[in-house]
Amino acid sequence: MDVPEGLISRLCHLVAFLPFFLLLLLLAVVKAAFIAPIVFVTVLVGNAALILGLYPLHTVWTCYCIARTKRFGSLLRVLILLLMPIPILLWPLSALIGTILAGLGFAIALPLMATFEAVREDVPNKLSECFTAGTWSSIKGGFTIVRDFKDICFHSYFSVMDGLLEAGGETIMDLRISHVPGYILAGILGMLIDVPMINLIVLYKVPIMLFKGWRQLIQDLIGRSGPFLESVCVPFAGLLILLWPVAVGLTAIAGILSSLSLGCYAAAENSTTSGILYVIAVISMFDEFTNDFLYLREGSCFPRPKYRKAAISRSASLPIKRASTREESFPLKRPLIKTASMKMQELKAIVIWDNFFMACESVGKELIRAGAIRISDLEQWQNSKNKTINIGIPSYVFLQCFVRSIKSGSVGFVMRDNVELTYINRPEGRVFDWLFEPMTLLKEQIKAANLESTEEEYLYKLALYCGDARMMTSWQNDGVAPADAVKRAQLEGLSRRLQGFSLTISRMPTFRRRFEAVVKALLQEARQGLQKNGKDGW
């Protein structure tokens, strides 16, 4: 049998690379032995102080917000408050366990990754960098983790609770006493049927995941592709080959544990009939999800009845025309481990995140020069008292991106530096799945509105000022409210959706820290303009 072309040369490169790799790995382990305890103690002490210190406040304020919110009906509020002792008792224990695991992971991974990054082609003084990289930077990384967790405990948490208190209008979720027996029956059926069936599906597909993962990893190791494409990822990818059975086992445990919540969720449906139909449909949905995850055949062999009625759009006057022709022509399934070509196509999450904050800074400076933002607005943001900065600027940036994409005819999103983000090159992960769909819907709704130039400028003003009439009248940007009341209501609805999406983004980890740097740059710009003009903005 003929030897495949290039196989011998690749094996020779692999053998020559192993001694170099082992020396780097030994150096990284030695550095991690000294640095990891410092990073771990920093993360553990900092996060534990936040968890335990804020525990009484979080407990009391959560119960108060649930008792006062209008988002839930009276009976549902009482039921949630009766069940609150369970998450209240589990929160500190689960949070501390998560902190220990995260601290260990970051403490070990940061020095290892920094050591291998030091031998990249674009790094000068590679020898000295191999010894110094990942020392002080890892310690600073530990403090950054604590800082981001503090932002979640303070800003993200209170933002969610404020949303509960500010919820007005009709009750979104309610519970009737007459429906309780049906909910209990649906929940029992979910536990009796869904839990064993989902567990059987998980156990059936564990060997498939083990075999397909090992085969793909070994192929990538020989061809230096996939996770072995970057030198910095080689030690972790090699470790992944050895620990792949452990990863498969943890995935199986996660699938088995998820069966409990999936089965119990049948009790949360709107009616007994919907709950029973959900019990049948969720088996098919879980089977289809695992098929997509393992890159198997499409669909499921299990029945999937419709357990919910089609939701009626609240904005019927804004039809959504989905751009399905382009997206449906691409395969929606993705392999368990990406190939090299797919890795080259995919935009990195950090690139998108950096682009967003650079756009916020650039737009903010333009608005300061236009007199739309004042120094007082930026100073108020530091106390989380200014929606124009926290929500308005991101909403303005997203609206600019959507309008730019619509005018260019893009099927995705054209970012500020003319980089196009589409379904194909977007980063993989559940977070981007959750964000990409509402962004697409917003873009299609804005496109369907067919805005004129004055209406477009008016929508910019609505998005920036969150509907504040006084501030909207103070800034003249050629935006004029439509004379048609229906069109004006459409624009107000679009601005609220933009602000809601931006509010969700503002609650994400690292947002507060990154956005604080943006606000500092904007404050410096505003003060320089104040020195030139001798006045505060408007």
Side-chain angles (χ1 to χ4, degrees):
M1 184 174 64
D2 294 336
V3 179
E5 184 179 357
L7 178 60
I8 295 178
S9 62
R10 288 179 178 178
L11 288 175
C12 291
H13 280 95
L14 179 62
V15 172
F17 177 74
L18 281 177
F20 178 68
F21 162 72
L22 292 175
L23 286 175
L24 278 178
L25 182 61
L26 179 62
L27 177 61
V29 170
V30 172
K31 286 163 60 177
F34 289 97
I35 301 299
I38 302 174
V39 178
F40 174 72
V41 170
T42 301
V43 175
L44 180 62
V45 173
N47 286 6
L50 290 168
I51 293 166
L52 300 177
L54 294 173
Y55 180 67
L57 175 61
H58 283 174
T59 301
V60 174
W61 190 245
T62 302
C63 294
Y64 172 79
C65 292
I66 291 174
R68 294 294 303 271
T69 183
K70 296 180 180 179
R71 184 163 292 181
F72 306 134
S74 301
L75 184 59
L76 186 57
R77 287 204 302 267
V78 172
L79 181 61
I80 293 175
L81 289 173
L82 289 176
L83 296 175
M84 276 301 294
I86 298 175
I88 286 174
L89 293 175
L90 290 178
W91 160 244
L93 179 62
S94 60
L96 288 174
I97 292 173
T99 294
I100 292 172
L101 295 177
L104 284 173
F106 279 105
I108 296 172
L110 290 176
L112 286 175
M113 292 183 67
T115 303
F116 282 89
E117 283 179 349
V119 297
R120 285 184 169 180
E121 294 181 358
D122 56 345
V123 177
N125 302 322
K126 292 182 176 58
L127 182 61
S128 61
E129 282 293 321
C130 286
F131 290 93
T132 58
T135 52
W136 178 240
S137 63
S138 298
I139 297 173
K140 290 196 295 184
F143 284 103
T144 302
I145 294 168
V146 177
R147 160 68 196 273
D148 289 339
F149 186 70
K150 185 265 293 182
D151 289 338
I152 293 173
C153 291
F154 277 98
H155 303 287
S156 301
Y157 167 79
F158 284 106
S159 175
V160 173
M161 292 297 107
D162 290 344
L164 284 177
L165 288 178
E166 294 171 2
E170 61 180 14
T171 300
I172 296 177
M173 297 182 64
D174 203 353
L175 186 66
R176 295 181 182 178
I177 298 177
S178 59
H179 293 169
V180 171
Y183 296 147
I184 295 174
L185 174 62
I188 292 173
L189 289 175
M191 294 296 293
L192 294 177
I193 297 175
D194 290 341
V195 172
M197 288 299 297
I198 290 175
N199 289 344
L200 287 175
I201 293 173
V202 170
L203 295 176
Y204 171 72
K205 294 185 179 179
V206 160
I208 300 174
M209 182 178 179
L210 182 65
F211 170 74
K212 288 178 74 71
W214 256 340
R215 184 182 66 177
Q216 186 68 53
L217 284 168
I218 292 172
Q219 288 177 353
D220 291 342
L221 173 63
I222 296 174
R224 285 302 304 273
S225 60
F228 297 89
L229 186 63
E230 295 285 347
S231 298
V232 68
C233 299
V234 168
F236 302 99
L239 192 62
L240 181 58
I241 293 178
L242 300 177
L243 298 180
W244 184 247
V246 178
V248 173
L250 293 175
T251 305
I253 292 172
I256 292 171
L257 292 177
S258 68
S259 66
L260 299 174
S261 59
L262 290 173
C264 291
Y265 190 78
E269 288 299 323
N270 295 330
S271 65
T272 307
T273 305
S274 298
I276 295 173
L277 292 175
Y278 167 85
V279 171
I280 302 171
V282 74
I283 300 173
S284 173
M285 289 189 291
F286 186 84
D287 184 44
E288 185 176 352
F289 169 76
T290 52
N291 285 343
D292 291 341
F293 181 71
L294 295 174
Y295 206 40
L296 300 175
R297 58 179 174 78
E298 293 183 359
S300 171
C301 60
F302 295 100
R304 187 172 179 177
K306 284 186 70 173
Y307 60 94
R308 285 181 184 168
K309 296 179 180 179
I312 300 174
S313 174
R314 293 186 178 182
S315 55
S317 55
L318 273 177
I320 301 174
K321 299 178 182 178
R322 295 177 179 267
S324 57
T325 55
R326 176 71 65 91
E327 290 185 5
E328 288 175 2
S329 63
F330 293 121
L332 297 183
K333 294 191 300 178
R334 299 180 182 218
L336 184 61
I337 299 173
K338 289 188 173 183
T339 62
S341 60
M342 293 179 70
K343 269 188 160 295
M344 294 295 291
Q345 256 191 332
E346 181 184 293
L347 286 176
K348 301 296 183 184
I350 188 65
V351 173
I352 301 172
W353 206 224
D354 289 343
N355 187 283
F356 168 71
F357 287 107
M358 287 190 292
C360 287
E361 181 176 342
S362 177
V363 166
K365 290 179 179 179
E366 292 173 4
L367 293 172
I368 288 172
R369 287 191 286 267
I373 294 178
R374 301 172 297 183
I375 291 181
S376 57
D377 298 326
L378 297 167
E379 292 173 343
Q380 286 174 3
W381 175 86
Q382 297 174 341
N383 298 319
S384 300
K385 293 181 179 179
N386 194 282
K387 289 185 177 181
T388 300
I389 306 301
N390 195 55
I391 301 175
I393 292 180
S395 299
Y396 199 101
V397 169
F398 281 118
L399 181 57
Q400 267 194 349
C401 176
F402 297 154
V403 172
R404 188 187 309 119
S405 305
I406 292 168
K407 291 181 178 179
S408 66
S410 170
V411 295
F413 304 97
V414 180
M415 295 187 288
R416 198 169 182 84
D417 52 0
N418 291 325
V419 175
E420 187 178 19
L421 174 66
T422 64
Y423 186 87
I424 296 301
N425 68 350
R426 70 184 176 89
E428 192 177 14
R430 283 290 166 189
V431 173
F432 284 93
D433 290 342
W434 293 332
L435 297 179
F436 199 84
E437 181 64 20
M439 287 175 64
T440 304
L441 291 175
L442 273 169
K443 176 191 163 187
E444 293 301 323
Q445 288 179 338
I446 294 170
K447 184 177 181 180
N450 196 20
L451 302 178
E452 299 177 0
S453 59
T454 55
E455 295 171 343
E456 183 182 309
E457 295 297 329
Y458 179 71
L459 182 57
Y460 275 118
K461 195 184 295 188
L462 279 173
L464 177 63
Y465 293 126
C466 303
D468 190 324
R470 183 186 64 83
M471 298 185 73
M472 287 178 63
T473 54
S474 300
W475 180 44
Q476 301 299 326
N477 70 333
D478 299 329
V480 179
D484 184 9
V486 175
K487 191 63 173 288
R488 189 164 59 250
Q490 290 177 1
L491 297 185
E492 291 172 356
L494 286 172
S495 70
R496 286 193 295 269
R497 294 184 196 103
L498 281 166
Q499 292 150 14
F501 183 75
S502 300
L503 181 61
T504 301
I505 296 292
S506 71
R507 295 168 178 170
M508 294 178 66
T510 74
F511 176 89
R512 181 82 183 182
R513 171 170 55 87
R514 298 290 303 272
F515 201 71
E516 185 175 348
V518 172
V519 173
K520 287 181 179 178
L522 297 182
L523 269 172
Q524 183 177 1
E525 177 78 14
R527 284 166 181 159
Q528 289 176 354
L530 180 62
Q531 291 174 357
K532 292 179 181 179
N533 301 329
K535 58 181 180 180
D536 182 8
W538 288 323

